[in-house]
Amino acid sequence: MNLDGNSLLAGFAVSSVGLGFFMYGKKQGRAPQILFGVICMVYPYFVWSPAWMFAILAALIAGMWLALRLGW
């Protein structure tokens, strides 16, 4: 595990976004937001590069947007 400042800050930012989506999904009873939130809170433990963290976050947001657009 890489414990440099940039990785820690990026992981905190990504996990905070995930926590926000998880709380929103739980409150509204929406499965896509809950799943997105859990994934965003967990994957920073396995990715050490801040650039990859934000790239994966962007891909997950695009995937969630597409899932919601298709009616999930």
Side-chain angles (χ1 to χ4, degrees):
M1 180 186 280
N2 190 4
L3 292 178
D4 70 347
N6 292 332
S7 294
L8 289 174
L9 187 60
F12 179 73
V14 170
S15 295
S16 297
V17 169
L19 180 64
F21 272 99
F22 178 78
M23 290 184 348
Y24 173 77
K26 187 175 176 184
K27 184 177 180 181
Q28 298 295 323
R30 302 286 315 237
Q33 284 85 354
I34 292 173
L35 182 63
F36 176 80
V38 169
I39 291 171
C40 284
M41 287 187 286
V42 172
Y43 87 83
Y45 287 106
F46 303 105
V47 179
W48 298 293
S49 170
W52 277 107
M53 282 186 208
F54 289 120
I56 293 170
L57 178 65
L60 287 171
I61 288 173
M64 187 182 67
W65 178 81
L66 182 63
L68 293 175
R69 202 65 151 143
L70 294 175
W72 270 26

